[in-house]
Amino acid sequence: MSAPSLDPEAQANSLRRAQVRRSLTRRNRAEARFRALGMVSALAALGFVAILFGNILSRGIPAFWQYSAVLNVTFDPAVVRVPERPVQGADQSDADYQTALLGWQRRFSMVNWNTLISRAVLDAAPAGVTADQRAVLSVIDSGARFVLRDLVLQDPSLIGQTVPVRLLASADADNWAKGKLDRSLPDERQQLSRPARDLIDAMTTQGSLQRSFAWHLFTNVDSRASPASAGLAGAFVGSLYMMLVVILASVPIGVSSAIYLEEFAPRNRFTDVIEVNINNLAAVPSIVFGLLGAAVFINLFRLPLSAPLVGGLVLTLMTLPTIIIATRSALRAVPPSLRQAALGIGASRTQMVFHHVLPVTYPGILTASILGVAQALGETAPLLLIGMNAFVANIPATPLEQSAALPVQIYLWQGNENRNFFEARTFAAIIVLLALMISLNALAIWLRGRLERKA
Amino acid sequence: MTANPILNLSVLVAGALAAGALIVGPVAAQERSTIQIAGSSTVLPFASIAAEEFGQFFPEFDTPVVGSGGSGGGMRQFCQGIGANTIDIANSSRPIKTSEIEACRANGVSDIREIRIGYDGIVLASRLDGPAFALEPRDIYTAIAANLPEGMAPPMLWSDVNPSLPAQRINMAIPGANHGTREVFEERVLEAGCEAVMGGALENGGCLQLRQDNVIEITGDYTETLARLNADPDTVGVFGLSFYDQNRDTLRVATINGVTPSLDTVASGEYLVSRPLFFYVKGAHLGVVPGLAEYTEFFLSDMMVGAGGRLEMAGLIPAPAAETAQVLENFLNGVSVAQ
């Protein structure tokens, strides 16, 4: 063996070995390259997500805390001058009484609450700080008037008393206190007058203006008259109604048509056409569904504008193909042996499908439905075309009432002219929407895991 | 596997849905109880504030719903006809056009009550960190118009237009054709500039033809214009005075004919580029949609549009009290623009 490598066979062997070794290094290098590339792209994707989330969180989270002041408001009887609550007379009809009652309430709205607010603010401010009423009022959110009114309407015995009330700082004051406005800008470039700015600084140092968690972001509806109190409740409920409509309409229709197409329909030209159409529908841009919705649901069926019902129906059209396609592929993944076994022991086709095939596909159908609904939740474009981009200051009581939706609320706040305040609010709304989406996706994963374990 | 809960549920749901569809039909055909408003994005902030306060003062009525879509878009919806699925009020930052009155009438909307709510200025503004601009209509026309006097080369820099202006690339963001602001900009700035530069109006709207290379039309709202300014610092954008007021810390406003736009200079008429703001009420819906007349009267009250009122604080320039009183009287007397 130690003979010189003159043996032709040994020579050929060593040549082959060298060749194999060369190709092996080449293949190893190719693999290393591919791995590195894959790693880089995964890291890049992760980096983008991190940048996105970092950006959204850093900009949005400050909006969850807002400045407010607990003020001792004196309900001075000289200012709050309202008659006694009307009592229904014996000869007074219900309608007349209602009118009288509403008139009485309107008297409360007319009270000059601003006087009480500016007095209370000056009381709370450190001694020696003075400002005219306009400057003082610009510190407190303009919705404070109605907070005081509602307090007295609920309990008229408050008149004459002094009670602590938490009132929100105005949007401009909040910006100033949070340091979002450039302090070096001259007076004519500032939103707030100099006395107002000094008052805010004095009150924050003294501690009477404090930052607290903005629960009203979740409990209030959108507001333009008092921007500091604008919240997401209306949009949230609107989105909720739309989701309900989408679930109630698209899941039964989508799943049953998928079952029919996959298990019962004969294979012919007609079902082929349907199949191609469904696949095409899945690729139609969502704005087209919005146009269709406006033409069909609003102009033809005369359903109301800006209603979550219409929004839900439009989003249903969009979600249907997703659910049908996913359900069909789930059905197709069921081994034929299961079907044959069921048929073999005498089950009818319907029994075979509903008792044996369908239960196996629940995890798939469920995941597809939840993902479809989550996608619909974030959809904005079609909603703009059915009038859901309107400013609505109500929480809708039924899906037929006008309402906003979460993604549209983001769009609206993004367009608000008070940029300094609403930019953060916009990102806060995005955080809420993302949180909702992530929980829906988590629910999908959890349900799939649970059902898969059962099956 | 016996009875299948999810199957039963889906059957139930399908049934409920069918039943729901039967109920929804007649309900939707019934009259609406909420006032529906759409139109100009300039009027939108004012209308929204008025709507909200209206809801506070009149708890017996629903808070009106205010949509946008530009003056033209709002008017198109307004003229679609009469009935619960058409809007009651169109906000507009320009007077209604004859063509729109015709379109309205063709669809049965013949009682259109015009409500003039006050004034707004149109300002040109650039980024705060850029140079200041002192413009005249003729400068703006020369900078962006397609038709210039023979022999004049299209300017690239503002200093080419007028040596006193900064040597900055010309780039303007102006409102798209769906905005009422565009028309005021054309009428007050471009036509005036055309008159000065070309010595008179040109045929076939030649004064209004703009260059493609340095003018961007913004179809969205002023936030989009602001975003343009941030993307390209050389841009000069067209804004409403009320928008500028809220963003004074980022925008530098240009003077026009030496006048700085402000509440005072617009109200006094010194600042030329201003326009009245309107909304139009569908007469046929009065008494049908609850609160429509009350909303209009409330909007015109001193507390809202008057001097020192709620809307002045939001940037609306109040009209003289006598003018507002006349508008209210016309409304109550049922004066329609389509007569």
Side-chain angles (χ1 to χ4, degrees):
Chain A
M1 278 309 190
S2 60
S5 49
L6 286 170
D7 177 12
E9 200 181 331
Q11 212 170 6
N13 269 344
S14 81
L15 256 176
R16 202 174 301 132
R17 226 173 287 128
Q19 205 179 0
V20 166
R21 212 171 290 130
R22 257 203 317 279
S23 107
L24 193 65
T25 15
R26 204 173 52 237
R27 284 188 297 157
N28 280 344
R29 225 179 284 139
E31 183 167 334
R33 259 204 312 274
F34 184 76
R35 276 176 183 229
L37 208 67
M39 187 95 87
V40 167
S41 37
L43 281 178
L46 210 67
F48 284 129
V49 171
I51 290 172
L52 181 77
F53 273 78
N55 193 12
I56 290 173
L57 291 178
S58 67
R59 294 223 222 162
I61 283 180
F64 286 100
W65 281 268
Q66 256 179 269
Y67 276 91
S68 60
V70 179
L71 299 175
N72 288 316
V73 180
T74 309
F75 292 100
D76 184 355
V79 178
V80 191
R81 266 190 314 217
V82 278
E84 288 284 305
R85 187 190 168 92
V87 186
Q88 187 165 13
D91 51 349
Q92 201 175 21
S93 73
D94 280 350
D96 282 347
Y97 176 65
Q98 273 305 318
T99 320
L101 201 60
L102 285 167
W104 176 73
Q105 284 183 11
R106 195 127 49 233
R107 291 289 291 274
F108 275 89
S109 304
M110 298 292 188
V111 166
N112 194 353
W113 301 107
N114 283 341
T115 315
L116 301 185
I117 295 171
S118 70
R119 278 184 202 165
V121 172
L122 284 177
D123 277 350
V129 176
T130 51
D132 59 301
Q133 195 184 6
R134 205 184 161 105
V136 174
L137 285 175
S138 65
V139 174
I140 298 294
D141 184 53
S142 73
R145 295 176 285 152
F146 302 122
V147 173
L148 297 188
R149 179 198 66 182
D150 293 344
L151 275 178
V152 180
L153 256 180
Q154 260 174 25
D155 182 7
S157 70
L158 285 179
I159 299 175
Q161 294 187 41
T162 302
V163 267
V165 187
R166 181 178 284 280
L167 295 176
L168 273 176
S170 71
D172 288 335
D174 190 62
N175 282 334
W176 180 258
K178 279 181 182 160
K180 274 199 278 187
L181 298 172
D182 188 350
R183 287 175 177 249
S184 64
L185 288 175
D187 277 359
E188 72 269 16
R189 297 217 166 275
Q190 296 286 2
Q191 300 300 320
L192 290 163
S193 64
R194 180 175 288 279
R197 273 150 34 213
D198 292 343
L199 181 62
I200 296 165
D201 286 342
M203 287 179 77
T204 36
T205 353
Q206 184 207 29
S208 45
L209 258 183
Q210 276 173 332
R211 228 189 251 230
S212 56
F213 192 77
W215 289 109
H216 62 270
L217 198 58
F218 303 100
T219 54
N220 278 11
V221 290
D222 190 15
S223 171
R224 269 172 179 273
S226 50
S229 68
L232 288 167
F236 189 86
V237 175
S239 274
L240 200 72
Y241 280 140
M242 286 202 296
M243 290 311 97
L244 275 179
V245 174
V246 171
I247 292 171
L248 292 185
S250 69
V251 174
I253 299 177
V255 171
S256 37
S257 52
I259 293 173
Y260 174 76
L261 284 174
E262 198 56 39
E263 304 286 341
F264 295 97
R267 293 264 170 274
N268 58 26
R269 186 66 61 84
F270 180 65
T271 47
D272 281 351
V273 168
I274 291 183
E275 180 154 3
V276 169
N277 272 322
I278 288 175
N279 288 336
N280 280 338
L281 268 184
V284 169
S286 57
I287 189 124
V288 177
F289 288 115
L291 281 171
L292 181 82
V296 175
F297 296 125
I298 290 176
N299 289 342
L300 197 68
F301 292 162
R302 312 230 137 215
L303 289 175
L305 278 167
S306 316
L309 176 75
V310 182
L313 289 174
V314 169
L315 295 178
T316 299
L317 293 179
M318 217 190 72
T319 317
L320 262 181
T322 319
I323 293 184
I324 296 179
I325 291 171
T327 308
R328 288 188 71 179
S329 64
L331 285 170
R332 228 171 281 150
V334 176
S337 53
L338 197 69
R339 294 189 178 83
Q340 283 153 7
L343 292 177
I345 54 167
S348 72
R349 274 185 93 80
T350 317
Q351 284 175 322
M352 179 263 288
V353 169
F354 287 105
H355 294 178
H356 301 280
V357 177
L358 205 54
V360 186
T361 60
Y362 282 160
I365 294 176
L366 218 86
T367 317
S369 309
I370 295 180
L371 291 183
V373 168
Q375 192 192 355
L377 176 67
E379 199 55 64
T380 322
L383 302 183
L384 301 183
L385 293 171
I386 53 163
M388 288 207 72
N389 56 342
F391 169 80
V392 184
N394 280 329
I395 295 181
T398 69
L400 278 165
E401 276 177 26
Q402 288 93 337
S403 159
L406 277 175
V408 181
Q409 191 67 62
I410 292 171
Y411 172 79
L412 287 178
W413 280 356
Q414 195 276 330
N416 192 294
E417 57 282 346
N418 192 342
R419 298 297 317 132
N420 292 318
F421 188 72
F422 274 94
E423 202 174 39
R425 265 273 199 288
T426 310
F427 282 97
I430 293 175
I431 293 175
V432 172
L433 182 63
L434 280 181
L436 209 61
M437 300 269 227
I438 291 173
S439 17
L440 271 181
N441 287 352
L443 180 74
I445 293 169
W446 179 74
L447 275 174
R448 184 173 57 197
R450 233 179 88 101
L451 285 171
E452 260 170 1
R453 229 176 300 131
K454 265 191 181 169
Chain B
M1 279 258 163
T2 48
N4 189 318
I6 294 196
L7 172 67
N8 288 345
L9 191 74
S10 62
V11 168
L12 209 94
V13 161
L17 208 75
L22 288 178
I23 301 165
V24 162
V27 167
Q30 270 174 15
E31 284 315 326
R32 202 160 18 89
S33 64
T34 312
I35 300 173
Q36 192 104 32
I37 304 169
S40 166
S41 43
T42 311
V43 183
L44 178 95
F46 306 127
S48 310
I49 291 174
E52 251 183 280
E53 301 258 322
F54 175 73
Q56 290 284 1
F57 278 86
F58 291 81
E60 64 266 46
F61 301 119
D62 293 344
T63 308
V65 169
V66 190
S68 58
S71 302
M75 215 40 107
R76 212 180 50 244
Q77 280 191 53
F78 184 80
C79 292
Q80 261 167 6
I82 287 171
N85 68 332
T86 61
I87 61 172
D88 311 307
I89 291 177
N91 291 330
S92 179
S93 55
R94 56 163 172 76
I96 190 169
K97 295 179 192 169
T98 329
S99 61
E100 286 165 343
I101 296 178
E102 292 305 319
C104 263
R105 196 180 279 142
N107 290 326
V109 184
S110 54
D111 186 356
I112 307 166
R113 315 263 174 103
E114 183 178 84
I115 311 293
R116 185 192 284 223
I117 59 170
Y119 294 84
D120 184 35
I122 294 177
V123 307
L124 281 95
S126 51
R127 271 167 66 120
L128 190 60
D129 47 18
F133 281 87
L135 296 167
E136 283 177 33
R138 60 177 307 146
D139 298 333
I140 301 165
Y141 181 83
T142 318
I144 61 171
N147 299 316
L148 291 175
E150 227 152 302
M152 189 192 257
M156 296 317 290
L157 301 176
W158 283 104
S159 53
D160 298 343
V161 175
N162 184 340
S164 66
L165 290 171
Q168 180 174 313
R169 190 166 51 85
I170 298 172
N171 193 25
M172 281 197 76
I174 67 170
N178 56 331
H179 290 286
T181 313
R182 170 65 172 270
E183 242 158 83
V184 183
F185 177 73
E186 288 181 343
E187 185 187 313
R188 295 294 171 88
V189 178
L190 292 179
E191 282 176 1
C194 188
E195 189 90 22
V197 176
M198 310 297 291
L202 303 177
E203 284 173 8
N204 303 326
C207 285
L208 305 181
Q209 284 165 20
L210 300 177
R211 276 163 64 178
Q212 302 290 315
D213 61 327
N214 62 5
V215 176
I216 305 158
E217 295 200 14
I218 308 283
T219 45
D221 43 33
Y222 294 130
T223 345
E224 206 182 314
T225 317
L226 188 63
R228 280 280 166 192
L229 261 65
N230 288 332
D232 180 353
D234 283 347
T235 311
V236 175
V238 175
F239 296 94
L241 178 62
S242 38
F243 184 88
Y244 161 70
D245 247 357
Q246 302 261 344
N247 293 277
R248 269 191 284 183
D249 56 326
T250 51
L251 290 173
R252 187 190 292 283
V253 75
T255 62
I256 292 185
N257 291 334
V259 183
T260 311
S262 71
L263 280 173
D264 298 330
T265 51
V266 172
S268 68
E270 232 180 304
Y271 184 76
L272 287 178
V273 196
S274 69
R275 37 62 192 286
L277 300 178
F278 303 89
F279 67 83
Y280 291 88
V281 182
K282 202 174 275 179
H285 285 191
L286 286 168
V288 181
V289 177
L292 191 52
E294 286 84 350
Y295 170 78
T296 310
E297 285 182 50
F298 178 75
F299 205 124
L300 289 175
S301 69
D302 233 23
M303 189 169 54
M304 284 290 127
V305 296
R310 197 70 187 77
L311 297 182
E312 186 181 1
M313 279 193 252
L316 181 76
I317 295 154
E323 195 183 296
T324 306
Q326 182 62 46
V327 169
L328 182 61
E329 200 186 313
N330 285 350
F331 171 71
L332 294 175
N333 291 339
V335 178
S336 164
V337 293
Q339 277 161 2

